[in-house]
């Protein structure tokens, strides 16, 4: 049992994306809208732009002032949606803006993040045109890579996160591939009872090194979606990976270099999906 090589999985995804782009009649267009100044968002956007342009995707970055009013932000999203194949609103945005309204202005077939209510509903109903949020798709890519199959019949998964970005779409996605999924959260009683009995555990609570070997069992797959800073200000996940590996025989994703690098790669897959839905 070992650390899962997410760089290898990322490489395979990006190679496939590049092959698909090379045979398209025109370059796919991705528009990224950011509002205000957020240091973490700047890093994420830079990585997305670098990855996309390296694959041959045309990227437009629209930076809006953090004091922008709701009506003006809505107008920009509507207008920018017209001239692109895929569009996303980088989160978080300033609190005075209505995030839900802004996201739902994005057309379903251009909703590269898969966060509109329409896309979420389509995913729950296993619609073939549903666009899956990139982190959830990244987790599925890890699971199918390690298990060497996309069919998850007989696989029990516990997800400790119920957000729109990870937990809810992941529950639907894995269920659509025949897994049995338990969705846990901050108010779940006896969390260890759920995590220790599953074949696969996915964490996303935003607590540095919260999960130690107490929560797991031998021969599990542990996928850590947390991105935190420890007491020494070093990047780490929700799982105390060193302690867990000392005590148990598990497959586990690292942080950094784990689900985060797959999220960007899977976003590129979604750009191609958006393009194909319109062309």
């Amino acid at each position: 049992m070992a650390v899962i090589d997410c760089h290898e999985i990322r490489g395979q995804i990006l190679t496939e994306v590049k092959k698909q782009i090379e045979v398209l009649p025109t370059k796919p267009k991705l528009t990224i809208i950011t509002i205000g100044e957020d240091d973490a968002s700047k890093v994420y956007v830079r990585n997305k732009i670098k990855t996309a342009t390296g694959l041959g995707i045309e990227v437009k970055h629209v930076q809006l002032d953090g004091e922008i009013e709701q009506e003006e932000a809505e107008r920009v999203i509507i207008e920018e949606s017209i001239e692109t194949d895929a569009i996303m609103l980088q989160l978080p945005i300033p609190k005075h803006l209505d995030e839900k309204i802004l996201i739902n202005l994005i057309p379903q077939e251009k909703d590269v993040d898969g966060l509109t209510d329409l896309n979420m509903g389509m995913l729950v109903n296993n619609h073939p045109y549903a666009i899956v949020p990139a982190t959830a798709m990244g987790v599925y890519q890890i699971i199918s890579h390690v298990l060497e199959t996309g069919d998850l019949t007989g696989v029990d998964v516990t997800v400790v996160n119920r957000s729109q970005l990870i937990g809810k779409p992941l529950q639907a996605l894995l269920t659509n591939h025949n897994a049995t999924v338990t969705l846990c959260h901050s108010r779940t009683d006896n969390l260890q009872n759920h995590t220790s009995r599953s074949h696969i555990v996915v964490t996303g609570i935003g607590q540095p090194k919260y999960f130690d070997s107490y929560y797991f069992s031998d021969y599990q797959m542990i996928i850590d979606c947390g991105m935190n800073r420890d007491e020494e200000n070093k990047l780490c996940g929700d799982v105390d990976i060193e302690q867990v590996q000392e005590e148990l025989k598990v497959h586990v994703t690292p942080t950094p270099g784990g689900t985060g690098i797959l999220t960007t790669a899977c976003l590129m897959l979604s750009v191609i999906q958006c393009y194909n839905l319109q062309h």
Side-chain angles (χ1 to χ4, degrees):
M1 311 297 277
V3 175
I4 298 169
D5 188 351
C6 292
H7 286 278
E8 179 186 354
I9 303 171
R10 170 186 166 87
Q12 293 174 358
I13 294 171
L14 294 182
T15 297
E16 177 59 30
V17 171
K18 194 166 186 177
K19 286 181 180 178
Q20 292 188 43
I21 291 175
E22 287 173 349
V23 299
L24 296 177
T26 58
K27 281 187 175 183
K29 297 178 181 179
L30 168 65
T31 298
I32 302 173
I33 297 177
T34 52
I35 305 177
E37 300 291 332
D38 181 85
D39 290 338
S41 290
K42 289 180 181 178
V43 175
Y44 298 147
V45 169
R46 281 200 302 268
N47 288 338
K48 290 168 185 175
I49 293 174
K50 181 180 179 181
T51 302
T53 54
L55 294 169
I57 296 171
E58 185 179 311
V59 183
K60 180 179 181 181
H61 180 205
V62 179
Q63 173 67 54
L64 302 179
D65 187 272
E67 300 301 317
I68 192 172
E69 295 297 328
Q70 177 78 21
E71 184 176 338
E72 177 63 12
E74 291 177 10
R75 182 190 66 78
V76 172
I77 290 175
I78 292 170
E79 289 184 354
E80 292 295 337
S81 295
I82 297 171
E83 299 297 330
T84 191
D85 299 306
I87 185 169
M88 60 172 290
L89 176 63
Q90 179 68 39
L91 303 177
I93 61 174
K95 293 183 179 180
H96 71 278
L97 298 172
D98 192 318
E99 173 185 305
K100 193 171 185 65
I101 289 177
L102 294 179
I103 288 174
N104 279 295
L105 288 172
I106 298 173
Q108 182 273 328
E109 69 277 7
K110 299 186 179 187
D111 174 26
V112 72
D113 265 341
L115 295 180
T116 61
D117 289 344
L118 182 54
N119 255 319
M120 285 289 185
M122 290 170 68
L123 178 59
V124 169
N125 285 293
N126 200 16
H127 194 289
Y129 294 164
I131 300 168
V132 181
T135 301
M137 177 57 76
V139 171
Y140 173 70
Q141 293 284 345
I142 292 170
I143 293 172
S144 58
H145 176 84
V146 174
L147 298 183
E148 298 182 344
T149 178
D151 183 6
L152 305 182
T153 299
V155 177
D156 292 320
V157 184
T158 292
V159 180
V160 193
N161 177 289
R162 57 175 170 178
S163 72
Q164 297 289 100
L165 290 171
I166 304 173
K168 291 178 180 178
L170 188 56
Q171 181 183 38
L173 178 63
L174 298 183
T175 300
N176 291 344
H177 287 87
N178 302 320
T180 300
V181 184
T182 301
L183 193 65
C184 298
H185 45 79
S186 60
R187 298 195 179 189
T188 300
D189 286 332
N190 300 315
L191 180 60
Q192 186 264 354
N193 286 346
H194 299 284
T195 57
S196 63
R197 296 176 182 177
S198 298
H199 300 113
I200 300 170
V201 181
V202 182
T203 71
I205 65 169
Q207 297 289 333
K209 300 182 179 181
Y210 179 88
F211 293 98
D212 58 21
S213 58
Y214 167 76
Y215 289 93
F216 307 115
S217 302
D218 281 329
Y219 308 113
Q220 287 183 310
M221 187 192 312
I222 304 168
I223 301 176
D224 191 345
C225 295
M227 183 64 74
N228 317 295
R229 295 278 180 179
D230 63 16
E231 295 177 352
E232 298 177 354
N233 202 36
K234 293 181 179 178
L235 284 173
C236 67
D238 295 337
V239 178
D240 189 340
I241 185 171
E242 293 180 357
Q243 191 273 343
V244 169
Q245 284 195 301
E246 285 179 2
E247 299 290 331
L248 300 171
K249 299 175 181 178
V250 294
H251 280 297
V252 61
T253 59
T255 304
T259 54
I261 64 172
L262 285 178
T263 296
T264 304
C266 289
L267 185 71
M268 302 304 119
L269 274 177
S270 295
V271 172
I272 302 302
Q273 184 180 1
C274 288
Y275 180 95
N276 289 333
L277 285 175
Q278 295 160 76
H279 296 273

